[in-house]
Every structure is written in structure tokens, then in C-alpha cells.
Amino acid sequence: MTMQDPVWAYLEPRDLSLGPVPHVPIEGVPTEGMRHWTYTRDAAGVAWAVLDKQDASTNTLSQEVIEELAQILDKVDERAPKALVIRSAKREGFLAGADIAEFRGVTDEAAIRRRIEAAHGVVDRLAALTIPTIAVMHGYAMGGGLEIALACTQRIAVDGTRFGFPEVQLGLHPGLGGTARFTHLCDPIKAMSFMLTGKSIHDRQAKAMGLVDALVPERHVQAAVDAAVSGALPQPRQGFVDRIKDSAPARRMAARQMRAEAEQQAPSAHYPAPHALIDLWEEHGGDFEAMKRAEIASFARLMLTDTAQNLIRMFFLRQKLKDLSHADAPEAAHVHVIGAGAMGGDIAAWCAWKGLRASLSDVKAEAIGRAVDRAAKLYEKIAHGDRLKIRDALDRLIPDPQGHGIARADIVIEAAPEKIDLKRKLYAEAEPRMKGGAILASNTSSIPLAQLREGLARPERFVGIHFFNPVSRLDLVEVIAHGGLSAEAEGIARAFVGRIGKLPAPARSEPGFIVNRILTPYLAEAMVLMDEGLAPETIDRAATDFGMPMGALELADQVGLDVALDVAEMLKRDLGWPLPDAPAWLREKVEAGDLGRKSGKGIYLWKDGKAVKEKAEAPDPELADRLILPMANTAVAVLREGVSEDAEVIDAAMIFGTGFAPFRGGPLHYAQARGVDDVVAALSRLAERHGARFEPDAGWELLR
């Protein structure tokens, strides 16, 4: 069989149907006077407006892109085509929404309103056209991109397209008329739910709720366009029941429940956007034009909040870490994981889900079996009903009790318990079996690599690749370098992290690296507070009131009290920290096997995966500083010592590795926003009252 055979032609990636223009990419053919759009007509008189944003891998709605869309609408007005099709020439997707860079650091609310009003005008012109307007979407249609599609008369999606309004994750809500159009097209309760959570809507879900009118494979796009132009495609209409849900009494009832749920997930004191969106819908949901007008003012107010600006900053921190994975290095295809415990098994499962072959070995076959069972349950949750994806991922996850995969793997990851002698023994067995060019990695959470590399034949190909638990949900992976690591091996490690959809945070190998080094004083202080007699619920409330996703003691239970104790003692010893000795009750719990969530009992009792808590009393205002400022102080030390030389990487590591209050921008950014002098003074007061562990680090001068 040759590559010219029909079956191979069918299986190869298909060119996008872009009307009467060359195939992707459309290089050098934007319409005259435009950089980003191509506007052409086919033989049937249908106009195709194709977006291929120049000098960008992704289409975003920058000011220039919207202005050029207005020029296209001028051309439509001058000589009306039979229909207008809007499509992307980027193979990855349709439109990813607004160009966030244009909103960073803005300070003028009136200027924001004028700009949004002008963009609304363009989108409203599109919606007002009397010819059929058809958005053809593939890959993804997010935020402002989906708002453009909602302004069209019909929406066609290619199989596998994802949709969503992620603006809430930036401290905002949709701002191009999407709040009104979405709630007037679909079930308004479902529409609000998706906007309030920022969750993606998958293709079949979008079709079922009426967000898209046709779901087709790429080879049928032209036929679907022809059907839409001829009127053969069903027209979208909001059902009677959905219109009832948009009535004032129904909105009032639903809004009360939405506010209660939003307050639980995103307290209004820290995250105003969900609550502003609920207010907008409750007050104006029954009036399409009024809701659009009110949306502009609400969006502009939110844009100036500290929350929005810090979450926008977080967007760029994520991009910065993503860029660190773009190393010029060979791509890994096969990963072997040694150790099928909770971390090792989940690392292998995630790698298999992301398309790599992942073999998994352990001294106990039962541990491998449990890991595969956990993987199957994970895939059920994240596959959204796609049985083929589940089957293929399980096929790639290879139980390998004898470790035969070591000889074939491009990366071998050790995920054994935190015991130096055990890890060295595993390396001595694995390294001679590895193929040339492969790298050996440790998932150690805190042990310096200089201690682990002793005895290795090729220490230059030994690197730390430290995942965080749960692997499927936390995006951060620390990539740890030691003095003898080769640049090629570090590049392979970073590229591997990016290949599996994670964010690499480079760090120098010092005890605790970045995240555990900074997190440990936080956990330790919570233990001290509990030893002083404070209720764990009160201590944890002080942290969650600050904005942490969970309290320090609940987190310690999640991590495992045994692990938390081991890491704290190691860091105290290796770094000479003036931390108090671990409380006797903590040692007793660990010795009794009350380790937290994994044993069902620790500081809290755990039922159905949740900590059972009593009602928390209001904490003393000083409590938050006792918990949070040691993290900021340690982050400064990490920067001063060069564990990471980039303050933004440190902040990003804490946000994406621990969930450090995202709306505060990370521990270093929080300290700078609060004022370095104020933070240093607060630490000095705490040191006077509670001991040397609060003494301000010498590195604060770096942030002044």
C-alpha cells in the first residue's frame, strides 16, 4: 500500500474548507488594506470572511481584528452577498477571545467603556445583517470568539470543537453582548451556569442545548454551509420553557440560588465577577437590549478591579511557563514510571491520557492493578463520554511488573517513597537497562539531587521532574536542575512537561525546591497554632478568608501528615530553620496511622473525600499574617538564593502548584502590592511576639 492509496488520503489531516482561497496557511493573501482577514466570494455568491491573525499562532479579537471586521461589513453593505461565512484559517481553532494583552494595566474606566461600545457596534452590525450569516467553528470557540459566533444567524461546528466563556477566570464576564445573546438563545439557567463557572462546553453538549445548529466532520463543512445558505438547516429558537425561565420571577428565584453557590465557590469579597453577572441577568435578563447596554458598564467596572488585573497577570504567568516548555529537544514517546503508588500511578495514567506510551512497574503487582483502576475512573470523568478515548488511553497504559519498558523508554521517572537509599537502589537497577539518549528523572518532592545522583554512571542525564497531587488537576511540574545536568537533558524534561499539558517551573536543586520550601512554614505555623489551642476550623478559616483554596490543616491532611512531617523535619535540618519541634500530637497521629485523607482520619475525619468540620469561629485578624507572611518571607529567600532567579516563576509556581490565592497574584506580588515596608514591619512584630522563625529575610531589599 502506498501513501497515494485512498485509505491513507482519508486518514490524513484534512485541509480546512475556507471557500475560494488557498489552503492553510493563507500566507500573503489578506484582503487589500487588511492584515488579518481575507474576504472572497465563491461561485454561488457566498462571501467567506476568513481570519488568520498575522504573527500569531492563535486568533484573538484585538482592536485591529475588530476594526478589520468592520471593514468587511462595509463591503457586505456595499454589495450584499448571498450569505456570509466566518471561519478561521488557524488549524488549531476558531477564535480564542479578546487579546488580553490590550487590557493589562488599564486605569481609565471611561476609555474602556468607549472601546467596548465600539466593539459592540461592530458585533451588532453583524447581527443586524439581513442575509444568512454562518459561523463555522473548529477546535475551540472561546470568549469573544464565541460572542462573534452568537451574533451570526447560524453556527456550524466541526466534531470535537470546544466552546466556553472563560472570562470569569480573568475576573470578568462576557463583554461583547454574549451575556444577552447566550441567555436568549439557550436555556438561560444552563447558559448562566457555564458563564459563572467558565467551564468548557463540549460539542455534543453544545448541539443538545442549541448553541450550535449542526455538528459535522470537516469533510462535510461545505455541505453544511450550503444547507444553511439554502435554508435547509433548522433555525435556532429558544423554547417556551426556556423563555419562562427568563421571566422576572423565575430570574429572582434562580439568582438567589446562584448567589449562594457562587459565594461558596468564589466569595464576592475576592471574586466580584460572578456576582456582577448574576446581578446583570436578574435585573435585565428579560430585556435583550437593556442587558447588552448594562453589560458594557459592568464589564468596564470589573476590568479595573485588583482581582481582574491580578487574574490577567496570572494568564500571562501561565503563558510564561508554557513558553519555558518550548525547548529544542527530542520529543518523548514512551515514559516508564517506577512505583505505582498514588503519585507514580497517576503520573503514568496522565501520560497515557496525553498520548504517550506509559509503562508502569512496582514490586507489588496489586499496586499496579490499583493504579490502572484509578486511571480508568479518571478517564471516565474526563473523557465526556468518548469511549474510544478511554479505550485508547488504557491501551497506552501498560502494566509492567518486570520493568521491561525501562529499556524502551525515552524518560524513566522514579516515583518511590522519599527515602534516599531506596531511590539510589532503584537507579542502580534501572540505569544500566536504559537506552542511549534516555533521561532518568526523580519525582522527589524535596531531596536535593546532589544526594540522589551519587553512584550514577550518567549524572548529566539525571533530572528532577516533580509533579503535584492530584496530578490530573494541578498544572505545575517543577523541573529541577543540579550542577552536572546537561542542557539537552533539561530541555527534554521541559519539553516533556509541555507535551503532557503541564507547566514547567525550572528550579535549582536545593532542599524543598520552590513550592515545598515556601509551603512548609505555612503548614508548620498552622500546626503551632493548633498546638496553642486554636480549633483547626478557625485556623483554616483564616487561610480561606485570605483567599487560599483550602486551609493549611486541610491541605496537610490532603498531602499526608507523614509526608508533611518528613518534609518539615528535613528542611529544618538541612536549612537550619528555627522552626519549633513538631507537636507531640502530630507524631502520635503519624505513628497511629492517622495520616489524613488517605487513611480516612488525620487532623480531620474524612468522609466521601471531604473533611468533616465544625463551624469555624471568626479568626483573630493577626492569624492570616502568621500563616501567609512566612510564605512570602521564604519566597524572598528562594529568590535571594537563586533557587529561582525569576520572581514571576516563583509566584506562578505557588499559584499553579498550591492554588495560592490567584486574585492576589502570588506571594511576592502580594507583598509588593501590600508594601514591602509594611510586610517587613509586620514580620518584625511577629518575630518579637513569637520567635526567630518570623525574622525578615535579607532578600527583601531585592523587592524595594
Side-chain angles (χ1 to χ4, degrees):
M1 182 177 286
T2 71
M3 287 299 290
Q4 301 304 313
D5 289 332
V7 65
W8 285 111
Y10 182 85
L11 291 174
E12 286 176 344
R14 299 189 65 84
D15 288 324
L16 302 177
S17 298
L18 300 174
V21 294
H23 289 310
V24 182
I26 312 175
E27 295 178 357
V29 293
T31 298
E32 186 177 352
M34 300 185 196
R35 293 185 65 234
H36 310 295
W37 290 89
T38 300
Y39 180 72
T40 55
R41 292 182 188 231
D42 63 22
V46 174
W48 288 69
V50 179
L51 178 60
D52 186 10
K53 190 175 182 186
Q54 298 301 296
D55 305 319
S57 59
T58 304
N59 285 333
T60 55
L61 280 176
S62 64
Q63 178 108 8
E64 194 173 42
V65 166
I66 291 176
E67 288 171 354
E68 289 187 7
L69 177 58
Q71 294 178 46
I72 287 174
L73 297 178
D74 290 340
K75 295 177 185 295
V76 171
D77 289 341
E78 290 167 8
R79 182 169 165 242
K82 189 174 181 181
L84 174 65
V85 179
I86 297 179
R87 181 110 216 237
S88 160
K90 305 287 189 193
R91 185 169 290 281
E92 291 76 14
F94 179 65
L95 246 167
D99 188 339
I100 302 301
E102 296 182 350
F103 290 115
R104 196 172 188 183
V106 293
T107 57
D108 187 340
E109 183 176 335
I112 297 169
R113 288 183 67 158
R114 287 193 297 272
R115 178 171 170 183
I116 300 301
E117 284 168 354
H120 261 248
V122 176
V123 178
D124 287 347
R125 282 183 65 194
L126 172 63
L129 291 177
T130 56
I131 59 172
T133 51
I134 305 148
V136 178
M137 299 167 284
H138 67 278
Y140 50 76
M142 297 289 177
L146 184 51
E147 291 180 276
I148 294 289
L150 282 168
C152 294
T153 55
Q154 296 203 283
R155 285 156 295 283
I156 297 168
V158 174
D159 291 333
T161 307
R162 293 173 294 111
F163 311 85
F165 288 105
E167 287 89 347
V168 70
Q169 296 167 11
L170 298 174
L172 304 167
H173 56 57
L176 285 180
T179 61
R181 289 192 172 92
F182 195 16
T183 53
H184 280 76
L185 174 69
C186 303
D187 177 337
I189 307 295
K190 284 185 180 177
M192 285 292 292
S193 175
F194 281 115
M195 288 189 287
L196 287 168
T197 61
K199 288 182 179 177
S200 291
I201 308 168
H202 294 268
D203 52 2
R204 290 171 180 79
Q205 198 174 21
K207 179 68 169 64
M209 68 188 295
L211 180 57
V212 299
D213 308 305
L215 186 60
V216 297
E218 180 62 44
R219 64 185 181 277
H220 291 165
V221 162
Q222 185 63 57
V225 169
D226 293 343
V229 172
S230 69
L233 206 61
Q235 290 289 324
R237 286 187 180 85
Q238 191 178 46
F240 175 74
V241 174
D242 292 342
R243 290 198 299 274
I244 292 295
K245 291 179 182 178
D246 223 7
S247 66
R251 292 201 310 275
R252 280 195 297 272
M253 289 178 60
R256 279 198 295 271
Q257 184 175 350
M258 288 176 186
R259 282 195 185 90
E261 292 174 357
E263 193 64 37
Q264 265 196 329
Q265 300 298 320
S268 54
H270 301 322
Y271 296 98
H275 305 273
L277 175 58
I278 295 167
D279 292 344
L280 184 66
W281 179 65
E282 183 181 18
E283 186 173 350
H284 301 289
D287 187 330
F288 183 79
E289 293 298 329
M291 190 167 179
K292 280 199 302 166
R293 288 193 300 272
E295 176 194 271
I296 295 170
S298 179
F299 184 92
R301 285 193 299 271
L302 289 171
M303 181 60 74
L304 294 184
T305 61
D306 289 341
T307 294
Q309 288 302 312
N310 279 334
L311 292 179
I312 289 170
R313 178 176 182 269
M314 191 176 91
F315 173 89
F316 287 101
L317 291 179
R318 176 180 288 276
Q319 191 57 52
K320 180 170 189 164
L321 296 191
K322 273 187 182 177
D323 291 344
L324 292 174
S325 71
H326 298 160
D328 183 16
E331 188 172 282
H334 185 161
V335 174
H336 182 87
V337 180
I338 302 172
M343 283 298 292
D346 290 358
I347 291 168
W350 186 256
C351 290
W353 178 253
K354 286 297 183 177
L356 280 69
R357 288 191 307 281
S359 46
L360 178 63
S361 62
D362 196 281
V363 292
K364 296 180 180 178
E366 315 89 75
I368 299 174
R370 288 193 295 270
V372 172
D373 184 57
R374 285 198 312 275
K377 291 175 180 174
L378 170 66
Y379 298 162
E380 287 283 350
K381 288 181 181 178
I382 62 180
H384 301 284
D386 191 330
R387 308 305 303 176
L388 287 177
K389 286 186 74 173
I390 295 172
R391 182 202 68 187
D392 290 348
L394 287 170
D395 284 349
R396 289 189 293 266
L397 181 59
I398 306 166
D400 185 14
Q402 303 303 316
H404 296 302
I406 291 172
R408 301 180 180 88
D410 303 297
I411 298 178
V412 175
I413 301 175
E414 164 269 307
E418 292 288 272
K419 297 177 181 177
I420 292 178
D421 291 343
L422 171 62
K423 290 177 184 287
R424 287 177 180 164
K425 179 174 180 290
L426 292 172
Y427 303 157
E429 293 170 354
E431 191 184 29
R433 300 166 65 185
M434 292 168 58
K435 68 181 184 180
I439 66 170
L440 175 64
S442 176
N443 183 53
T444 180
S445 58
S446 56
I447 302 173
L449 299 194
Q451 297 177 26
L452 292 177
R453 72 184 180 192
E454 291 179 14
L456 289 176
R458 295 186 296 279
E460 73 280 1
R461 303 195 72 77
F462 175 63
V463 63
I465 300 181
H466 177 219
F467 289 80
F468 292 85
N469 193 24
V471 173
S472 63
R473 287 171 51 198
L474 288 177
D475 290 340
L476 190 83
V477 176
E478 290 177 316
V479 177
I480 314 300
H482 56 87
L485 178 66
S486 74
E488 182 196 12
E490 184 177 5
I492 291 171
R494 287 195 201 179
F496 158 71
V497 170
R499 168 72 176 77
I500 60 171
K502 299 296 184 181
L503 304 172
R508 188 161 58 86
S509 180
E510 295 292 342
F513 314 137
I514 298 174
V515 173
N516 281 336
R517 170 95 174 260
I518 295 171
L519 193 64
T520 297
Y522 169 67
L523 301 179
E525 194 62 27
M527 302 285 185
V528 171
L529 287 165
M530 193 171 164
D531 206 38
E532 290 176 6
L534 272 72
E537 291 86 354
T538 301
I539 298 165
D540 279 357
R541 180 174 165 183
T544 55
D545 283 356
F546 175 81
M548 301 298 282
M550 68 177 66
L553 296 170
E554 184 178 346
L555 178 61
D557 262 2
Q558 289 265 23
V559 169
L561 297 184
D562 53 338
V563 175
L565 180 61
D566 285 348
V567 171
E569 292 192 330
M570 184 272 289
L571 292 177
K572 181 181 178 181
R573 180 185 67 248
D574 290 357
L575 294 170
W577 276 358
L579 290 179
D581 290 335
W585 59 262
L586 176 60
R587 294 186 184 280
E588 289 167 6
K589 281 184 179 291
V590 171
E591 289 169 5
D594 295 337
L595 306 179
R597 180 178 177 177
K598 60 189 173 185
S599 66
K601 184 181 178 184
I603 293 171
Y604 295 107
L605 183 67
W606 287 78
K607 288 187 177 179
D608 300 323
K610 293 183 179 179
V612 179
K613 296 184 177 183
E614 302 292 331
K615 186 176 180 180
E617 293 182 7
D620 185 288
E622 184 191 78
L623 220 54
D625 274 0
R626 282 189 65 176
L627 292 168
I628 303 302
L629 294 190
M631 282 197 282
N633 203 33
T634 310
V636 166
V638 166
L639 181 66
R640 174 180 56 79
E641 294 173 12
V643 179
S644 171
E645 297 176 354
D646 191 326
E648 288 192 335
V649 168
I650 294 170
D651 277 342
M654 292 305 294
I655 291 170
F656 299 120
T658 73
F660 184 97
F663 68 93
R664 296 195 186 274
L668 293 176
H669 186 75
Y670 164 71
Q672 288 177 301
R674 176 170 165 173
V676 169
D677 290 342
D678 183 68
V679 170
V680 169
L683 283 166
S684 297
R685 288 193 298 271
L686 289 169
E688 289 174 8
R689 295 174 193 167
H690 303 291
R693 64 185 181 276
F694 289 102
E695 285 292 343
D697 188 83
W700 283 106
E701 291 301 320
L702 298 172
L703 298 185
R704 290 186 189 277

